[in-house]
Structures are given as C-alpha cells and as structure tokens.
Amino acid sequence: MSNYKYPNKLSFFNFLLRSTSIAKNPIPFHRKWFDEKGDSFAIKSPFYGHIILTRDIDFTKHILQKKHKKYHKSKIQTHYLSKYVGYGLLTSSGDYWLEQRRLIQPAFHKEKIQNLVDIIHKAIKDQVSQIKTDGFVDLYPIMNELAFEVVAKSLFNFSAQKEILSRLQFIIEKLQLFIVKELRMPYKKLWYTLNGDIKYHMKLVKESRAIISTIITQRKVSKAKHDDLLDMLLHAQYEDGTTMADTQIIDEILILFVAGHETTANALTFTFKLLAQEKEALIKVKEEVAKLDKQQIDPLQEITQLEYTKCCVEESLRLYPPAWITDRVNIEDDEFKAYALKKGTIIGSSIYELHRNEKYWKNPEAFVPERFSEENRKKCLPYFMPFGAGPRLCIGNNFAMYEMVLTVSEVLKCFNIETDEAQIKVNPLITLKPVGVKLRFTHNA
C-alpha cells in the first residue's frame, strides 16, 4: 500500500506551539480540533510518527474489536508503562497477553467476584465509618483510600500490614505522576536522566516489587487459605499444569493495583460530585437505598436491586470515563473506510469525546441517569465504552461496578452530601482525575 491516506491533518508545528498547555490538559485542545477537523484528525510527529485521534464509534470498534489482531497496544503502554508497573495484562501484547488473560480471566467471572463481595463490603463499611462531618472536605483522598483498601483486601485479605500497604500506595501514585510527565514531554528525557528523576523512580519500582514479593513469600510459607485474588493467582494453572512465576504474579498484582484502585477512586469522586449537584437524582438514590436497607438483604442481593443507583454510576462513567483515552498501533498496513494507514500508525480513541459526541448522545453534556434505565439502555450501550471494548475489555469491570454501587449505597445510608461549587475540573493523566472536589457530609437524620 503506497498511497497512504489519513484524516484531516493538524500541523505538528501548530501542536508544538501549544505543547506546554497540551501537556497540562489536552482535553480542550482535542475538543477544539475535533470540532474544526471532524471526528478524526491526524498529526505527523517526529517522535512517534503518524498519530490519529478519533471520537468516531466505527473507527474505535475497528481498532478494538473488528480488526483487533492487527492493532496492538502502542509502545506508550507496552514499553513506557511496563518499565514502571511490570509486564502484566494491561501492558503486554500478542500471545503472552492472550495466555495471561486466559489464565486470570476465571478469577474475575461474576461468580468468583460474588465470593469476594463480603470482603469488598466490609472494606467499604470500614472506610465509610471514618468519614468526617466537619465542613467541606476533599473527596478524592477519601475515595482513593477506600478504593485502595478494597483492592488490597480483595487481593491480600488479611496478609499485609497497613503501613506496608500505605507505602505501596504512595509509590504507585508517585510512579503514575512521573509516567505522565515522561509520556507528555519525551523531549525532556535527557533532563530527567541528568537530574536523577528516572533513577529515583526506578528505585521506587524496585521497592514496590520487593513489598509484593515479601507478601507472596509469606503467603506461601503460611499455607493459610484466604478466599482472595492472591490465592487465585498462586494456584492458577496454564494448560500444561504449571503456575505463574513470582515475577509474573508481581507484574499482575501491580497492574491490578494501578488499574483497579485509581480508576475507581476517580469514578466514585465524579459520581458523588454529580449526585451532590443533581438534587433530584440524589433524592431518588437515597430513597432506593433506604428502601432496600429496611429489607436487610445481603450485599449481593442489594447490588442487583439498586437499579437507579447503577444508572447514576453508569452516567457518571459516561461523562467522566476514568480510562478517558485508549491507544493502539497497527502492526501491518490497514484500511478503514476512505483511509489507508501505514503500519506503525498510533490511533488514540478518545472515550471522553466519544461519550460526549452529539452524533450518538442526546444532550451529551447533561447528567441524565435515565439513559441507562432498562427501557433506554439498548440505545446507549453501542456507544458506551468506559471499560474499553473487544477482547481487551477491562477484566475487572464487574468488580468495579459492584464496588462502586455498594460504595454509593453505603455512603448515602449514612450521610447526606452537599457541594458548594458547580464546576467540575479534571486532570487527564493516564486516568481522568478529578481536581479540587469538596463535599460536606452530614449524618442522615
């Protein structure tokens, strides 16, 4: 294929002029260029070659589902991310990824997650009981702590000390911030090497792996049985009957921490902020939660019956998807509609913009949980991708939904919530982070 054809081009010079602002927050620029150039546009970068950004549903499904074998995760994830968080499900590609996915998938089947619900619920209750009711408080740290505890308890149940887990939490957050700096400003790589930044963060990587290695060793020595994810990872067998090496287990655990706690903390922060702003929706959720609370049913039954609560969580995920952008690179030349794409083209699909594209959503900027009600959801689901799509759909999607619905229920059983600011600010790092969200919690009368 010699005559390559790309979507409307944006000059790299135009991009470079704004690079500092884009590094801080690319979303306003994406919106501007989508509006000017159409639902897909291209840039030719001296660092990464051809890059396409899209908010088109067909193009997104083409790379994630229909032609997924031609499209691997880009070096951004398989190389840059993996050196910090290991070569696990999120960062691996090809045959190795498929083998790992088949091995780990059973642990995340609905039935298995249902076994974890009691552990998840207890961790949520413990965290919610610590929420303070003195004025407006920063919401994200509370949700971050809660989500980290849920992942930690689900992974390790009772086999890790609080101080050790806090250290792990600190390291993971530090690494994520630095990964974003390195990705957004590749031209500063030499400076990061000279000023010791890379050396410092690689030291943190070593420490995080040592922490998890110690937990694995202690579990193996103790022979204790815990119905948690670590037990599953230790005992999962490949087709030939062998199990994962410790280094592989460490990779997968780091990925589960990185992918599993921060995305949920972000999503919960956005959900509570939106509910505090949208009083009608908040009243409906509180009524649904109170009604079920009187019935004293177990957490698993509660999840299935909190229908409107789930709609609110899904609508929050539509407006503020934590995995706000996903990328792929074609491993051979490809064609899509009028485009002819050279091998090695990076395609970034903006889930954030796709979820707000007027072609697919009526009144896309508004918070309307009813979109996801039983009678409406069929119209929405083809354009709803908060957990990705295709074979690489997020393995923890059921886990995350259970955790979020139970958290919203538990918080609103205990508290009323208020906000004093209409605006919602975001910081698009590897995940879409909320900025400066403050809520006031007051005990229910």
PDB file of all heavy atoms in Angstrom, residues 34 39-40 53-61 336-337 349-350 354 357 359-360:
ATOM      1  N   PHE A  34     -11.335  18.435  17.176  1.00  0.00           N
ATOM      2  CA  PHE A  34     -12.432  17.594  16.678  1.00  0.00           C
ATOM      3  C   PHE A  34     -13.507  18.470  16.034  1.00  0.00           C
ATOM      4  O   PHE A  34     -14.027  18.156  14.968  1.00  0.00           O
ATOM      5  CB  PHE A  34     -13.056  16.763  17.802  1.00  0.00           C
ATOM      6  CG  PHE A  34     -12.286  15.521  18.169  1.00  0.00           C
ATOM      7  CD1 PHE A  34     -11.967  15.239  19.499  1.00  0.00           C
ATOM      8  CD2 PHE A  34     -11.894  14.609  17.199  1.00  0.00           C
ATOM      9  CE1 PHE A  34     -11.263  14.086  19.841  1.00  0.00           C
ATOM     10  CE2 PHE A  34     -11.180  13.454  17.528  1.00  0.00           C
ATOM     11  CZ  PHE A  34     -10.868  13.191  18.854  1.00  0.00           C
ATOM     12  N   ASP A  39     -14.513  14.170  13.199  1.00  0.00           N
ATOM     13  CA  ASP A  39     -14.434  13.175  14.275  1.00  0.00           C
ATOM     14  C   ASP A  39     -13.120  12.393  14.318  1.00  0.00           C
ATOM     15  O   ASP A  39     -12.895  11.603  15.227  1.00  0.00           O
ATOM     16  CB  ASP A  39     -15.622  12.205  14.200  1.00  0.00           C
ATOM     17  CG  ASP A  39     -16.906  12.859  14.703  1.00  0.00           C
ATOM     18  OD1 ASP A  39     -16.814  13.943  15.314  1.00  0.00           O
ATOM     19  OD2 ASP A  39     -17.989  12.296  14.490  1.00  0.00           O
ATOM     20  N   SER A  40     -12.272  12.574  13.317  1.00  0.00           N
ATOM     21  CA  SER A  40     -10.920  12.001  13.349  1.00  0.00           C
ATOM     22  C   SER A  40      -9.966  13.023  12.725  1.00  0.00           C
ATOM     23  O   SER A  40     -10.312  13.674  11.752  1.00  0.00           O
ATOM     24  CB  SER A  40     -10.852  10.698  12.536  1.00  0.00           C
ATOM     25  OG  SER A  40     -11.747   9.736  13.044  1.00  0.00           O
ATOM     26  N   LEU A  53      -6.168  10.872  16.129  1.00  0.00           N
ATOM     27  CA  LEU A  53      -7.093  10.936  17.261  1.00  0.00           C
ATOM     28  C   LEU A  53      -8.502  10.822  16.720  1.00  0.00           C
ATOM     29  O   LEU A  53      -8.829  11.443  15.694  1.00  0.00           O
ATOM     30  CB  LEU A  53      -6.931  12.253  18.014  1.00  0.00           C
ATOM     31  CG  LEU A  53      -5.866  12.257  19.108  1.00  0.00           C
ATOM     32  CD1 LEU A  53      -5.727  13.646  19.700  1.00  0.00           C
ATOM     33  CD2 LEU A  53      -6.158  11.267  20.216  1.00  0.00           C
ATOM     34  N   THR A  54      -9.344  10.024  17.380  1.00  0.00           N
ATOM     35  CA  THR A  54     -10.707   9.825  16.889  1.00  0.00           C
ATOM     36  C   THR A  54     -11.722   9.826  18.025  1.00  0.00           C
ATOM     37  O   THR A  54     -11.396   9.461  19.154  1.00  0.00           O
ATOM     38  CB  THR A  54     -10.822   8.510  16.069  1.00  0.00           C
ATOM     39  OG1 THR A  54     -12.106   8.460  15.470  1.00  0.00           O
ATOM     40  CG2 THR A  54     -10.612   7.276  16.941  1.00  0.00           C
ATOM     41  N   ARG A  55     -12.953  10.249  17.698  1.00  0.00           N
ATOM     42  CA  ARG A  55     -14.086  10.077  18.598  1.00  0.00           C
ATOM     43  C   ARG A  55     -15.226   9.408  17.817  1.00  0.00           C
ATOM     44  O   ARG A  55     -16.386   9.550  18.137  1.00  0.00           O
ATOM     45  CB  ARG A  55     -14.526  11.429  19.184  1.00  0.00           C
ATOM     46  CG  ARG A  55     -15.010  12.445  18.180  1.00  0.00           C
ATOM     47  CD  ARG A  55     -15.526  13.722  18.838  1.00  0.00           C
ATOM     48  NE  ARG A  55     -15.969  14.692  17.841  1.00  0.00           N
ATOM     49  CZ  ARG A  55     -16.318  15.942  18.127  1.00  0.00           C
ATOM     50  NH1 ARG A  55     -16.243  16.379  19.369  1.00  0.00           N
ATOM     51  NH2 ARG A  55     -16.725  16.757  17.182  1.00  0.00           N
ATOM     52  N   ASP A  56     -14.828   8.704  16.753  1.00  0.00           N
ATOM     53  CA  ASP A  56     -15.777   8.029  15.865  1.00  0.00           C
ATOM     54  C   ASP A  56     -15.996   6.597  16.346  1.00  0.00           C
ATOM     55  O   ASP A  56     -15.024   5.859  16.555  1.00  0.00           O
ATOM     56  CB  ASP A  56     -15.204   8.037  14.443  1.00  0.00           C
ATOM     57  CG  ASP A  56     -16.099   7.311  13.459  1.00  0.00           C
ATOM     58  OD1 ASP A  56     -16.973   7.966  12.876  1.00  0.00           O
ATOM     59  OD2 ASP A  56     -15.929   6.096  13.292  1.00  0.00           O
ATOM     60  N   ILE A  57     -17.240   6.204  16.518  1.00  0.00           N
ATOM     61  CA  ILE A  57     -17.533   4.880  17.086  1.00  0.00           C
ATOM     62  C   ILE A  57     -17.073   3.751  16.162  1.00  0.00           C
ATOM     63  O   ILE A  57     -16.535   2.747  16.621  1.00  0.00           O
ATOM     64  CB  ILE A  57     -19.046   4.733  17.444  1.00  0.00           C
ATOM     65  CG1 ILE A  57     -19.294   3.441  18.254  1.00  0.00           C
ATOM     66  CG2 ILE A  57     -19.938   4.761  16.213  1.00  0.00           C
ATOM     67  CD1 ILE A  57     -18.702   3.409  19.618  1.00  0.00           C
ATOM     68  N   ASP A  58     -17.264   3.918  14.828  1.00  0.00           N
ATOM     69  CA  ASP A  58     -16.882   2.838  13.899  1.00  0.00           C
ATOM     70  C   ASP A  58     -15.377   2.644  13.866  1.00  0.00           C
ATOM     71  O   ASP A  58     -14.882   1.512  13.839  1.00  0.00           O
ATOM     72  CB  ASP A  58     -17.403   3.141  12.483  1.00  0.00           C
ATOM     73  CG  ASP A  58     -18.920   3.162  12.424  1.00  0.00           C
ATOM     74  OD1 ASP A  58     -19.544   2.418  13.213  1.00  0.00           O
ATOM     75  OD2 ASP A  58     -19.482   3.925  11.612  1.00  0.00           O
ATOM     76  N   PHE A  59     -14.636   3.754  13.874  1.00  0.00           N
ATOM     77  CA  PHE A  59     -13.171   3.676  13.878  1.00  0.00           C
ATOM     78  C   PHE A  59     -12.694   3.019  15.177  1.00  0.00           C
ATOM     79  O   PHE A  59     -11.803   2.162  15.181  1.00  0.00           O
ATOM     80  CB  PHE A  59     -12.593   5.083  13.737  1.00  0.00           C
ATOM     81  CG  PHE A  59     -11.224   5.143  13.107  1.00  0.00           C
ATOM     82  CD1 PHE A  59     -10.662   6.375  12.763  1.00  0.00           C
ATOM     83  CD2 PHE A  59     -10.486   3.997  12.858  1.00  0.00           C
ATOM     84  CE1 PHE A  59      -9.394   6.458  12.190  1.00  0.00           C
ATOM     85  CE2 PHE A  59      -9.221   4.064  12.278  1.00  0.00           C
ATOM     86  CZ  PHE A  59      -8.677   5.298  11.941  1.00  0.00           C
ATOM     87  N   THR A  60     -13.311   3.405  16.286  1.00  0.00           N
ATOM     88  CA  THR A  60     -12.942   2.843  17.593  1.00  0.00           C
ATOM     89  C   THR A  60     -13.204   1.339  17.627  1.00  0.00           C
ATOM     90  O   THR A  60     -12.358   0.554  18.070  1.00  0.00           O
ATOM     91  CB  THR A  60     -13.725   3.563  18.717  1.00  0.00           C
ATOM     92  OG1 THR A  60     -13.401   4.957  18.671  1.00  0.00           O
ATOM     93  CG2 THR A  60     -13.375   3.012  20.089  1.00  0.00           C
ATOM     94  N   LYS A  61     -14.357   0.926  17.127  1.00  0.00           N
ATOM     95  CA  LYS A  61     -14.676  -0.522  17.110  1.00  0.00           C
ATOM     96  C   LYS A  61     -13.783  -1.276  16.122  1.00  0.00           C
ATOM     97  O   LYS A  61     -13.457  -2.444  16.335  1.00  0.00           O
ATOM     98  CB  LYS A  61     -16.154  -0.731  16.774  1.00  0.00           C
ATOM     99  CG  LYS A  61     -17.062  -0.358  17.945  1.00  0.00           C
ATOM    100  CD  LYS A  61     -18.515  -0.650  17.671  1.00  0.00           C
ATOM    101  CE  LYS A  61     -19.338  -0.422  18.952  1.00  0.00           C
ATOM    102  NZ  LYS A  61     -20.768  -0.589  18.745  1.00  0.00           N
ATOM    103  N   PHE A 336      -9.374   1.670   6.529  1.00  0.00           N
ATOM    104  CA  PHE A 336     -10.661   1.873   7.203  1.00  0.00           C
ATOM    105  C   PHE A 336     -11.414   2.948   6.434  1.00  0.00           C
ATOM    106  O   PHE A 336     -10.939   4.081   6.319  1.00  0.00           O
ATOM    107  CB  PHE A 336     -10.469   2.294   8.670  1.00  0.00           C
ATOM    108  CG  PHE A 336     -11.749   2.750   9.315  1.00  0.00           C
ATOM    109  CD1 PHE A 336     -12.721   1.823   9.667  1.00  0.00           C
ATOM    110  CD2 PHE A 336     -12.008   4.102   9.510  1.00  0.00           C
ATOM    111  CE1 PHE A 336     -13.926   2.239  10.223  1.00  0.00           C
ATOM    112  CE2 PHE A 336     -13.210   4.526  10.071  1.00  0.00           C
ATOM    113  CZ  PHE A 336     -14.170   3.592  10.425  1.00  0.00           C
ATOM    114  N   LYS A 337     -12.560   2.558   5.875  1.00  0.00           N
ATOM    115  CA  LYS A 337     -13.357   3.469   5.029  1.00  0.00           C
ATOM    116  C   LYS A 337     -12.432   4.126   4.000  1.00  0.00           C
ATOM    117  O   LYS A 337     -11.763   3.434   3.246  1.00  0.00           O
ATOM    118  CB  LYS A 337     -14.123   4.474   5.890  1.00  0.00           C
ATOM    119  CG  LYS A 337     -15.203   3.787   6.733  1.00  0.00           C
ATOM    120  CD  LYS A 337     -16.081   4.749   7.481  1.00  0.00           C
ATOM    121  CE  LYS A 337     -17.160   3.976   8.247  1.00  0.00           C
ATOM    122  NZ  LYS A 337     -17.951   4.844   9.137  1.00  0.00           N
ATOM    123  N   SER A 349      -8.138   6.627  20.605  1.00  0.00           N
ATOM    124  CA  SER A 349      -9.583   6.844  20.624  1.00  0.00           C
ATOM    125  C   SER A 349      -9.941   7.549  21.927  1.00  0.00           C
ATOM    126  O   SER A 349      -9.692   7.018  23.008  1.00  0.00           O
ATOM    127  CB  SER A 349     -10.332   5.514  20.517  1.00  0.00           C
ATOM    128  OG  SER A 349     -11.711   5.762  20.656  1.00  0.00           O
ATOM    129  N   SER A 350     -10.501   8.742  21.810  1.00  0.00           N
ATOM    130  CA  SER A 350     -10.892   9.500  22.999  1.00  0.00           C
ATOM    131  C   SER A 350     -12.272   9.029  23.446  1.00  0.00           C
ATOM    132  O   SER A 350     -13.288   9.398  22.857  1.00  0.00           O
ATOM    133  CB  SER A 350     -10.925  10.999  22.711  1.00  0.00           C
ATOM    134  OG  SER A 350     -11.494  11.676  23.828  1.00  0.00           O
ATOM    135  N   LEU A 354     -15.925  10.572  22.654  1.00  0.00           N
ATOM    136  CA  LEU A 354     -16.928   9.672  22.066  1.00  0.00           C
ATOM    137  C   LEU A 354     -18.208   9.682  22.917  1.00  0.00           C
ATOM    138  O   LEU A 354     -19.324   9.701  22.395  1.00  0.00           O
ATOM    139  CB  LEU A 354     -16.333   8.260  21.987  1.00  0.00           C
ATOM    140  CG  LEU A 354     -17.045   7.200  21.147  1.00  0.00           C
ATOM    141  CD1 LEU A 354     -16.054   6.132  20.716  1.00  0.00           C
ATOM    142  CD2 LEU A 354     -18.189   6.528  21.871  1.00  0.00           C
ATOM    143  N   ASN A 357     -20.174  12.850  22.152  1.00  0.00           N
ATOM    144  CA  ASN A 357     -20.376  13.151  20.735  1.00  0.00           C
ATOM    145  C   ASN A 357     -21.876  13.258  20.439  1.00  0.00           C
ATOM    146  O   ASN A 357     -22.626  12.307  20.659  1.00  0.00           O
ATOM    147  CB  ASN A 357     -19.732  12.047  19.888  1.00  0.00           C
ATOM    148  CG  ASN A 357     -19.652  12.413  18.414  1.00  0.00           C
ATOM    149  OD1 ASN A 357     -20.458  13.192  17.904  1.00  0.00           O
ATOM    150  ND2 ASN A 357     -18.689  11.841  17.723  1.00  0.00           N
ATOM    151  N   LYS A 359     -23.479  13.057  17.861  1.00  0.00           N
ATOM    152  CA  LYS A 359     -23.999  12.081  16.887  1.00  0.00           C
ATOM    153  C   LYS A 359     -24.615  10.877  17.594  1.00  0.00           C
ATOM    154  O   LYS A 359     -25.472  10.191  17.044  1.00  0.00           O
ATOM    155  CB  LYS A 359     -22.859  11.594  15.978  1.00  0.00           C
ATOM    156  CG  LYS A 359     -22.443  12.580  14.925  1.00  0.00           C
ATOM    157  CD  LYS A 359     -21.406  11.942  14.025  1.00  0.00           C
ATOM    158  CE  LYS A 359     -20.864  12.960  13.031  1.00  0.00           C
ATOM    159  NZ  LYS A 359     -19.733  12.420  12.270  1.00  0.00           N
ATOM    160  N   TYR A 360     -24.117  10.586  18.784  1.00  0.00           N
ATOM    161  CA  TYR A 360     -24.544   9.366  19.482  1.00  0.00           C
ATOM    162  C   TYR A 360     -25.378   9.631  20.732  1.00  0.00           C
ATOM    163  O   TYR A 360     -26.034   8.729  21.237  1.00  0.00           O
ATOM    164  CB  TYR A 360     -23.313   8.529  19.888  1.00  0.00           C
ATOM    165  CG  TYR A 360     -22.270   8.413  18.802  1.00  0.00           C
ATOM    166  CD1 TYR A 360     -20.933   8.740  19.053  1.00  0.00           C
ATOM    167  CD2 TYR A 360     -22.614   7.996  17.515  1.00  0.00           C
ATOM    168  CE1 TYR A 360     -19.974   8.647  18.051  1.00  0.00           C
ATOM    169  CE2 TYR A 360     -21.653   7.896  16.510  1.00  0.00           C
ATOM    170  CZ  TYR A 360     -20.339   8.223  16.789  1.00  0.00           C
ATOM    171  OH  TYR A 360     -19.395   8.133  15.796  1.00  0.00           O
TER     172      TYR A 360
END
